[in-house]
Amino acid sequence: MRTSEQISAFLGLIRGAPEEHRIAREQVSDADKKVQDILHWLENNEVLPVDGDGAMLILGVMGMVQRDRRVAKDAGIVLHPVAEWAKTHKSTMDSLAQLLGAVRKAERITEKRDYTDRTDIMKVMLGGPDEEDE
């Protein structure tokens, strides 16, 4: 991986962290609301103990919602310090963006390098035509 790609990936992670953190918090909130809806439904509706299929469906959905909530909560926990750092270090982010531009420029220069001989040493060594013969 090129140096510019590594810097770009890092910048992308830092720049995207606040939004990803916000989305994770929303997902946790949505999951909490779903759990409350299920619990309130159970509170207000009678599920017969012999109704195994209905109870299993409710438990399956409840488990799925809780697993999704856990994934979102874990993502939020991990992204929180990155998101906070990004908010408080805007000048550092700008500096990294400038660094990325400089590195990309240097990579372009080194990729398209042409060299013009300054002497005839290679012609002499390889037995090319002499300037006098031309």
Side-chain angles (χ1 to χ4, degrees):
M1 181 181 276
R2 296 167 53 155
T3 302
S4 63
E5 291 170 344
Q6 292 173 342
I7 295 169
S8 180
F10 178 71
L11 273 171
L13 169 74
I14 301 297
R15 286 178 177 157
E19 178 66 12
E20 289 182 40
H21 182 252
R22 185 193 62 74
I23 290 169
R25 285 192 332 251
E26 281 182 11
Q27 290 172 335
V28 169
S29 177
D30 289 345
D32 287 340
K33 291 173 187 173
K34 288 176 183 177
V35 167
Q36 286 303 309
D37 287 348
I38 293 168
L39 292 175
H40 284 112
W41 186 90
L42 287 171
E43 177 185 0
N44 295 318
N45 297 283
E46 189 174 324
V47 178
L48 299 174
V50 293
D51 184 14
D53 290 340
M56 290 304 291
L57 175 65
I58 292 169
L59 288 173
V61 170
M62 185 86 144
M64 181 184 68
V65 169
Q66 283 297 103
R67 282 188 294 279
D68 291 347
R69 181 186 185 280
R70 172 56 52 204
V71 169
K73 186 174 181 182
D74 289 351
I77 290 169
V78 170
L79 289 169
H80 178 73
V82 181
E84 289 302 310
W85 187 91
K87 289 177 188 174
T88 59
H89 291 85
K90 290 186 188 291
S91 63
T92 302
M93 296 299 295
D94 292 342
S95 179
L96 283 171
Q98 290 176 351
L99 172 65
L100 175 60
V103 169
R104 283 180 175 159
K105 182 178 178 181
E107 287 173 344
R108 279 192 305 274
I109 289 169
T110 59
E111 286 173 353
K112 297 180 181 183
R113 181 180 301 153
D114 281 335
Y115 183 77
T116 304
D117 291 337
R118 296 180 183 170
T119 68
D120 64 348
I121 187 69
M122 295 308 298
K123 289 179 186 175
V124 171
M125 286 179 19
L126 298 174
D130 291 334
E131 290 180 15
E132 295 172 5
D133 294 343
E134 295 178 357

